[in-house]
Amino acid sequence: MWRWDRWGTVDYDGPAVGQAQVIRRLSGSMARGAALVGVATSLVCVAVAAVVMGTPGVYGAAFAGVVATGSALLTPVLMLRTTELDPAAVMLASFVGLATKAIILLIVLFTLGNDSGLHRMSLAVTLLVVFVATTAAEAWAGHKIKILIGSDPASPSA
């Protein structure tokens, strides 16, 4: 049985046992946390951009919010795809997800930053703020997962 906590991560009853179960719980919790925090942060950035810069600011912030929140889901997906591999492969997938997310955001900023319909500063600030917020949400989700190192306490050999 699981329940939602106030941060949007899942707290399962009992600890996760085994690497595959740990990675599934971790990637699910990271994805939920990043999506919820990304959407909330994006909405705040869009509201601020609307007040400060008007329509071009709204378009820039909204586009940046969608791209940054979507790219934040890359790390949990890569981790989920590597559940059956060695722990080193999971760590590599996590790092590759973070690096790819940063590269995607830089490409978006430099290719669309000069678009006349998007306010460059709204785009840049929203990309940065959502990137930091979703990365922090993923780290918080990793901190919340209960991981059992050793044998299952419910097994007869324990």
Side-chain angles (χ1 to χ4, degrees):
M1 185 68 186
W2 55 273
R3 61 181 167 77
W4 287 91
D5 67 4
R6 66 183 175 154
W7 297 105
T9 56
V10 172
D11 185 17
Y12 293 87
D13 290 338
V17 179
Q19 177 183 326
Q21 189 179 15
V22 168
I23 298 303
R24 283 189 198 102
R25 285 187 185 182
L26 179 60
S27 63
S29 184
M30 288 172 63
R32 280 184 289 279
L36 290 173
V37 168
V39 168
T41 306
S42 297
L43 290 175
V44 169
C45 289
V46 167
V48 170
V51 170
V52 175
M53 294 310 303
T55 304
V58 169
Y59 291 150
F63 182 74
V66 168
V67 170
T69 303
S71 68
L73 301 176
L74 181 64
T75 302
V77 167
L78 289 175
M79 288 176 60
L80 190 60
R81 301 284 296 170
T82 60
T83 56
E84 302 299 327
L85 300 177
D86 293 333
V90 177
M91 290 188 290
L92 179 63
S94 178
F95 175 74
V96 166
L98 178 67
T100 304
K101 178 175 28 176
I103 291 169
I104 288 170
L105 298 183
L106 286 173
I107 289 171
V108 167
L109 178 61
F110 289 121
T111 57
L112 297 177
N114 294 328
D115 190 302
S116 62
L118 302 174
H119 184 250
R120 183 179 177 101
M121 190 56 73
S122 298
L123 179 74
V125 168
T126 304
L127 283 172
L128 180 63
V129 168
V130 174
F131 175 78
V132 170
T134 55
T135 303
E138 289 174 344
W140 180 259
H143 172 73
K144 300 256 319 160
I145 294 295
K146 298 175 191 172
I147 300 173
L148 175 66
I149 298 175
S151 61
D152 183 1
S155 69
S157 64

